[in-house]
Amino acid sequence: MTNTALREPAFPDAVVTEAIRWTEEKGPLDDAEVLRAALARACGAPARITVRALLLGERIGLQSELARASQWAPWVLLGLVALIVMAGLGLAGNVVGGGERHINVIVALASLLGLHALTLLLWLAGLWLPLGAFNTSSLGWIWLSLTARVAGGKRGQAPVLVRAATGLLARARLLPWALGLVSHGIWSLSFAVVLAALLFALAFRSYTLSWETTILDPAFFVHAVQVLGWAPSQIGFPVPDAATVLSPSPGAAGQRTWALWLTGCIVVYGLLPRLALVLLSAAVWQRRRAALRPDWSDPYYRRLAARFAALAPPAIVDADPGRAPGSAPAGLAPSDLRDSLFVIGFELPADTPWPPEGLPAITPAQVQRIDGSAPARRALLDQLAQARPRAVLLACHAASSPDRGTERFLREVLAHCGECRLWLAPAARDMPGANASQRWIDWLQGTGLPRVAATPRLEDALQGLGTTP
């Protein structure tokens, strides 16, 4: 009895991919060689991102930790099942093991079904309420936590793997069902053992079954027995009548009715609900398991997709003759964009005034100047991925020569906005001339980026963006 989530062939890859995402929240990993390897091995952004994650996971030991957890999981589950079975036998022993062979049927029923009913209610509450203590109180969560602790210890990669796995399950709306599949299975086995022990004792030993009270009215017990016995009676279990309930010594026939009533209540209110939920959890798993994949629309994955797009074979400034130009990234869909404009100064000379005169009034955070270094580019791309602006105006030095780094940066920016324009800004010491601007325009055509409009005039660059100086 193991959780089928661990047997899905694509699930471990998705867990490692998500674990790398959580790991890189603390800082990006060195992936220069890994990016090129993933680009060569796979086609499409999701597949390349997964290959990159798997290669990085091998480096930091995620796969070995996950394999170790998979090896330990059945043994931890077996130990948990043994513990629950022993607890079930202990409960059955408390019910039928008294020296006086007297069983208070109401107390016995409460002791055998009380914890089961409480955990079942918590699990049902976890289906509709946000992730919290309801899911962490189940036997499935205990099994998952113990497996992570045994496999990874306190300093291993197990916590980030657990976080990744539970995040994927929660996103697919499978977390309570996956944990419930384990929990309900353990409870079903426990009830089966309890019923076997109870029936064995009742079959070969003589017991007196009755109820006791100090403050309650006997009519209460008559009504409670009838109500609790209605469901078991539908599948053939007898229900004690009022005379049997009120009789101080109902005789052999009455004792047999009491014993079968107690057994029927355990079957109907304990074993059968857990078995039904095992089947329901398995059915929900089969229906929703296709959704067990990362959220590729997350800004983190969109940044990675843009980096892969920038690395795709494009035409460059000094390309070999006959090489076909690369295509520009498609950019974001109009429904994903926000009505905002970013103005970015890219590798401008120190004497270039910034921000430029005539720039419309927009949020200061949307007017930036970067030196072109890798950290500065990464920070800006992260901000663009979060903002998803309608347009980006990139200011470049007109007299400078565009190179591969400029092309790569343009492609990454295009992947995070709706439109990108190029303003060819002059420096204070530059002489006016049209040759520099034309060189940039020709370069954009030759590199497969004709959709990036270039102009030496700020007014023209801003025209049609809804903000004119």
Side-chain angles (χ1 to χ4, degrees):
M1 182 174 51
T2 57
N3 193 344
T4 54
L6 296 180
R7 294 185 176 181
E8 286 298 317
F11 189 65
D13 293 351
V15 170
V16 172
T17 303
E18 281 287 282
I20 290 294
R21 179 171 75 90
W22 291 117
T23 300
E24 289 196 300
E25 278 198 341
K26 301 177 181 178
L29 300 173
D30 182 13
D31 63 351
E33 296 182 3
V34 168
L35 279 178
R36 290 191 291 271
L39 187 66
R41 294 186 187 183
C43 297
R48 287 169 176 170
I49 292 172
T50 301
V51 172
R52 171 188 179 271
L54 294 177
L55 293 174
L56 291 175
E58 289 284 356
R59 182 196 302 173
I60 64 178
L62 287 180
Q63 277 91 327
S64 59
E65 190 94 0
L66 190 60
R68 191 160 52 247
S70 299
Q71 292 173 356
W72 274 105
W75 297 103
V76 174
L77 184 60
L78 185 62
L80 192 59
V81 168
L83 183 64
I84 296 299
V85 168
M86 294 300 295
L89 289 174
L91 282 175
N94 290 334
V95 171
V96 299
E100 300 179 357
R101 297 189 182 181
H102 176 80
I103 300 176
N104 187 322
V105 290
I106 303 300
V107 173
L109 194 62
S111 62
L112 291 172
L113 298 179
L115 183 60
H116 145 76
L118 177 62
T119 56
L120 184 58
L121 288 175
L122 290 176
W123 181 82
L124 292 173
L127 293 178
W128 290 279
L129 298 180
L131 176 64
F134 298 115
N135 285 318
T136 58
S137 63
S138 70
L139 292 174
W141 184 269
I142 295 173
W143 166 72
L144 185 63
S145 302
L146 287 176
T147 300
R149 177 60 63 88
V150 172
K154 295 182 178 180
R155 298 184 178 180
Q157 301 283 2
V160 71
L161 289 172
V162 170
R163 186 179 184 184
T166 54
L168 286 168
L169 291 169
R171 180 175 175 271
R173 296 183 297 131
L174 272 173
L175 182 58
W177 299 101
L179 298 180
L181 189 59
V182 176
S183 181
H184 301 319
I186 294 176
W187 274 108
S188 298
L189 183 59
S190 174
F191 276 120
V193 172
V194 167
L195 283 169
L198 184 63
L199 288 173
F200 182 85
L202 292 174
F204 298 104
R205 302 183 71 178
S206 177
Y207 293 91
T208 301
L209 286 79
S210 63
W211 53 269
E212 297 175 346
T213 184
T214 302
I215 60 174
L216 296 177
D217 188 84
F220 168 81
F221 289 95
V222 173
H223 183 67
V225 168
Q226 296 295 323
V227 170
L228 291 173
W230 180 86
S233 69
Q234 303 306 304
I235 58 175
F237 286 95
V239 180
D241 55 19
T244 303
V245 174
L246 296 175
S247 174
S249 54
Q255 294 296 332
R256 181 178 180 276
T257 302
W258 271 120
L260 292 177
W261 175 87
L262 177 61
T263 303
C265 287
I266 297 172
V267 170
V268 171
Y269 300 120
L271 178 62
L272 293 183
R274 293 293 182 172
L275 286 176
L277 288 173
V278 167
L279 298 177
L280 180 60
S281 298
V284 172
W285 172 266
Q286 291 294 328
R287 183 177 180 180
R288 298 181 182 174
R289 63 179 180 177
L292 282 171
R293 55 180 179 269
D295 181 8
W296 302 119
S297 64
D298 186 88
Y300 168 82
Y301 293 119
R302 285 167 45 200
R303 290 194 300 270
L304 289 177
R307 294 177 66 194
F308 278 116
L311 286 175
I316 55 176
V317 177
D318 53 350
D320 294 335
R323 184 175 180 180
S327 59
L332 300 178
S335 58
D336 295 333
L337 298 174
R338 296 174 181 170
D339 190 15
S340 60
L341 168 66
F342 273 69
V343 181
I344 311 298
F346 180 70
E347 295 183 338
L348 295 175
D351 59 350
T352 302
W354 192 264
E357 295 183 3
L359 194 67
I362 56 178
T363 306
Q366 297 173 202
V367 181
Q368 302 184 28
R369 181 174 183 169
I370 65 173
D371 57 7
S373 63
R377 294 187 188 191
R378 179 67 64 85
L380 176 62
L381 292 172
D382 289 348
Q383 188 175 358
L384 291 178
Q386 293 284 348
R388 305 196 299 275
R390 178 171 53 87
V392 173
L393 177 59
L394 198 64
C396 295
H397 185 212
S400 299
S401 297
D403 55 15
R404 303 180 188 185
T406 307
E407 179 189 357
R408 185 181 301 112
F409 181 65
L410 268 175
R411 292 179 179 277
E412 291 175 332
V413 170
L414 281 169
H416 295 304
C417 65
E419 179 185 5
C420 180
R421 298 185 183 182
L422 203 59
W423 173 44
L424 304 175
R429 64 178 183 276
D430 291 345
M431 297 296 293
N435 291 336
S437 301
Q438 189 60 44
R439 182 176 68 251
W440 278 85
I441 295 173
D442 294 341
W443 172 79
L444 289 171
Q445 293 287 339
T447 53
L449 296 172
R451 57 178 286 203
V452 180
T455 176
R457 291 172 50 85
L458 179 60
E459 295 83 355
D460 295 341
L462 291 170
Q463 187 174 8
L465 298 181
T467 54
T468 55

